[in-house]
Amino acid sequence: MTVDDQILESAAMRFEILKTALKDGATARLGRLGFAGRLPFDTPNFIGVTSRGALPHLTPDNVSKHLQVSGAYMALEDFIERPQAYSKRTPPIFETPMTAKHDTPLHRFTAMPPSGTTVLSARRLPAVQSPMGNTNASISVFTSTGFQVLTTNEYLSAVQTLRPDIAIPPADLTHSPITPNSKRALRMAERTDEWVVEWFSKLSADSRISTFAPVLPIAYSIQWEYISRLAEDCLPTSQLSGLAIYDPDLLPDLAEHCAALLPLPRLALSNPPTPHHILRHIALGIDVFTLPFINTMSDAGLALDFTFPPPPRPDGSSSSSSGSLLPLATDLSLPHSATSLTPLSLNCRCYACTSHHRAYIHHLLSAREMLGWTLLQIHNHAVVSAFFAGVRETLARGQEAFEVAAEQFTQIYEPEFPEGAAQRPRARGYQYKSVGGGEGKRNKPAWGKLEAKEKDGDSEGVKR
Amino acid sequence: MASNRTFTSPALTFELVARCSKTRARASILTLPHGTVNLPIFMPVATQASLKGLTPEQLESTGCRLCLNNTYHLGLKPGQEVLDAVGGAHKLQGWKHNILTDSGGFQMVSLLELANITEEGVRFLSPHDGSPMLLTPEHSMSLQNSIGSDIMMQLDDVLVTTSPDKARMREAMERSVRWLDRCIAAHKHPDRQNLFCIIQGGLDLDMRRECCREMLARDTPGIAIGGLSGGEAKDDFCKVVAACTELLPDLKPRYVMGIGYPEDLVVSVALGADMFDCVWPTRTARFGNAITKHGMLNMKREMYATDFGPIEEGCGCPCCRPIEEEGGMGITRAFVHHNAAKETVAAHLLTLHNVWYQLNLMRQAREAIIEDRFPAFVHEFFRTLYPDRDSYPSWAVTALRDVGIDLLDT
């Protein structure tokens, strides 16, 4: 049984749920999400994850021409560094003037295509864990010049200046793989609760910023007070436009206890590692995903290669007996691609697949030419776009069709991505922080001592 | 098969369109196996079959119809076997337009210690495993045949122009002539690939003239002036170019190898050269530098952090055009500053801008030649580039005076 057409509408946002199952609320749903001045997009879907305001390796012209990505996730910490010599300066982004088409400072500064929806949060995705931790009125962020304190007031004022389409209020998160103990978890809930209350009391009402309140990655029983406040206080005033879900497994609890929140669009900030996880999260009712793994896979020289609904098993059988599982991605750095003139994945219509072939990407990876990562980014985003389009088509045929196809997907594809043997691009300080040391270098050093010169003369300096 | 204005050879047609009435500058149309290019031209360098982060589509959008690949690099990666299997460099990189390759000799000398040049070829240690290898004229031709470049360069004996050893310089020049003969004999596809000779002879103008005569006798479809941009004084550079162009036939393209600073291009055009290449515009982009008509700007400087203007006011490249215009991105200096040396995107944007600048400079020079206002164009170029006349480089003033432009004249 399904209900059709629930519409949530404000001046800045419109979310239409086209199709959902009635049973318990925590199920996959089809929708359409649009923000004032931006191109509306169908859900379930995903948005790109930027680094310093740019989709890695992709200039804005390539984004508009070759990606079907409807929006981008941006982190304030990427814009507010304090260079030592100019430690007192106002971050330049706050002074950005607008133009007719680049109609917010955030769009203008990052040269984001005007039709794209922007999401602003405090931290990158995934965020580097801070050794300092948050306080009652601030969170610790990691900029290109090091860790910095960002007060909740400063963050709110940054959001009001930059005017993203979606803003995520500050959340007290640990960004640690270790689950916080119950005492810490309780404090996370209490602080976030306070911060969100403060957020709504100060956010100017006429702003076109849609707030997606964070739902913390801790047990529902610990944050129920905060979540009930969202449902009872924030929702009726129309200040709350959506939810930013850090752990999609909380959705069943949410559906059970806070039905009032169900019509809100749900943005996942959970960093699912594979498409298998995405399918599970879609089934739990996530509408929009942020997928850092796409950038990671491109850097690793991997061309994504999966479709939804999945293709029939290569051996024709229907059993799940392993041995013939399809890989989720092709490692183009391996020798078998060296002379392959086939597209990165068969039937892909992206620019990289229609204009180039595996042999070229293989060459670019082996020569460490930046274009390799650019073409992989175009392809990998296209594969994920097509995956979500397939999910929506299947969902349109009904919950059951989706469940069957999702089950087939797990039986046909390997559970994880391959490792990727290629050398990665150079890592930058703001992307990564050694914790405890001893991780080993990602790439071999580009420079060495003159006497101990490497025999492997193909390093960076060797060009005309 | 030469008419008054047109020269035709099996894989190339050169048509002289216009000539400056004062200087030696020329505008022409060069038709190569992968289409037509307008001369004078700057050719960006896609060393390893990729123009530093730009897609072939983006490179095409700058108006580029002829770019370089380096034979030495492609010979190492992906290697000749792969090139043969894939069907050449055009297919490898998805580039529909023309490619020019160097001979590989320059890299042997510039990149490797222990390169030893004998009559047979260049002997060097493999950068892969240190084993001894030999690059001969025949091997260079074979590699460039596999690459399938529209213009291939002969293997030459390169010596830094500033070398004081006259005897060695003469040996290098004469050997380059002998190697040209071997290259012509080894070239398998003269019907679809053009082999250009390279004039050597250091800074000795008589030796250069002698080399010109020897090379011209071999009647290659195009002629390069080599061995320059190796640290010689700019005055000497101009003298060599002028001495060579004086002797070269009107109806063949003239390529000065390895130069790319805007003022070098403009002066060389005035001296009668048609084609240029250099890695500088793309390399300097990766260091955060933007080439503009007012000079080079380092986008990493703090003064650009809050500069929300385009990289260059009035520039027509996709980065600088406002987002409100079709095909414009509306990139600000502040955004380039924000990501310079941090995200590859900043390097890509500056590469796109710089390549566009270089190509556009040559397009403007060409228009000026056709409309016979090239001297005025040169005046304007230097006026915009330098704050005042006193800062004009004296080598440019001298070289231009010799071809009839007095930069210091009002």
Side-chain angles (χ1 to χ4, degrees), chain A residues 57 293-304 329-334 361 365 372-373 376-377 380 417-425 442-443:
Chain A
H57 310 302
F293 78 73
I294 304 177
N295 299 340
T296 314
M297 293 300 123
S298 303
D299 281 355
L302 295 168
L304 300 185
T330 313
D331 186 348
L332 292 179
S333 69
L334 298 179
I361 314 281
L365 290 171
W373 303 313
L376 281 170
Q377 280 284 69
N380 288 343
F417 286 113
E419 177 84 28
Q423 276 199 40
R424 277 39 170 189
R442 286 214 313 182
N443 286 332

Side-chain angles (χ1 to χ4, degrees), chain B residues 280 284 289-292 294-298 304 385:
Chain B
W280 171 74
T284 207
N289 293 316
I291 309 173
T292 75
H294 302 293
M296 202 169 75
L297 310 176
N298 185 341
Y304 299 117
L385 186 55

Side-chain angles (χ1 to χ4, degrees), chain A residues 38 60-61 63-64 101-102 107 110-118, chain B residues 323:
Chain A
R38 314 287 168 234
D61 55 341
V63 173
S64 359
K101 271 183 144 185
H102 273 147
H107 267 87
T110 59
M112 170 93 179
S115 62
T117 302
T118 50
Chain B
I323 186 75

Side-chain angles (χ1 to χ4, degrees), chain A residues 378-393:
Chain A
I378 290 172
H379 170 76
N380 288 343
H381 281 85
V383 168
V384 177
S385 292
F387 170 84
F388 276 100
V391 164
R392 291 191 300 271
E393 279 164 30

